[in-house]
Amino acid sequence: MSAEMHMRRALALARGNIAAGGRPFGAVLVKDGQVLAEAANSIHASHDPTDHAEMRAIRLASARLASPRLQGCVIYASGHPCPMCLAAMYLSGIEQAWFAYGNEDGLAYGLSTAAVYQRLAQGPQAPGSGLQQLRPQDEQGLYAEWRAAQ
């Protein structure tokens, strides 16, 4: 299957999701030209704000391969991946993703994540990030325990 055919499938999944009451997002995860997983955004059904098409496809492909590492895989997404999905791609080893509709296309419909990208660009130490470290005074060794258990 060609890249365009994978993208057409992602778009078909997105349209099917609209018909099911969901958002216009679908994703197809491919390795060596073969589809490993495909999914649509399921926030409307699960009420889980992380239930994005790309995240679902990553979870399905990881389960299928019995590995959290997805090097060599490519994602085709109907919409611009949000920062969470992009981070999940990076963390799993996916280095390439294609999208049909950009953030500028989704802005008028409340479907752009450009503002989230802008906020993240300020860094985790920026005022208003909400991220703070709190380690109890007697806490130590958590990561060393993990390493020792490997």
Side-chain angles (χ1 to χ4, degrees):
M1 255 183 155
S2 70
E4 185 173 325
M5 293 304 294
H6 294 309
M7 184 60 77
R8 288 187 183 281
R9 178 62 183 149
L11 290 163
L13 289 165
R15 286 194 166 91
N17 205 43
I18 292 170
R23 296 180 182 193
F25 300 112
V28 177
L29 195 149
V30 177
K31 184 170 186 176
D32 300 326
Q34 300 298 314
V35 174
L36 287 180
E38 56 181 41
N41 179 300
S42 291
I43 292 173
H44 66 289
S46 68
H47 308 290
D48 175 353
T50 70
D51 209 356
H52 293 196
E54 300 93 333
M55 297 294 286
R56 291 174 60 81
I58 288 169
R59 290 176 186 131
L60 291 167
S62 294
R64 183 172 179 187
L65 296 177
S67 173
R69 305 303 305 153
L70 299 174
Q71 286 92 347
C73 292
V74 178
I75 285 191
Y76 297 89
S78 61
H80 190 288
C82 76
M84 172 188 66
C85 292
L86 185 59
M89 290 177 209
Y90 290 160
L91 288 169
S92 67
I94 297 170
E95 295 179 2
Q96 189 172 33
W98 297 89
F99 60 91
Y101 288 85
N103 274 323
E104 63 280 355
D105 297 309
L107 187 60
Y109 304 96
L111 297 172
S112 174
T113 58
V116 180
Y117 273 105
Q118 290 171 350
R119 184 171 179 189
L120 289 173
Q122 296 173 7
Q125 306 308 323
S129 73
L131 186 62
Q132 299 177 44
Q133 185 173 9
L134 173 62
R135 184 185 310 175
Q137 188 171 4
D138 60 346
E139 175 57 39
Q140 62 184 358
L142 179 65
Y143 294 164
E145 289 175 38
W146 173 79
R147 175 64 63 174
Q150 300 301 304

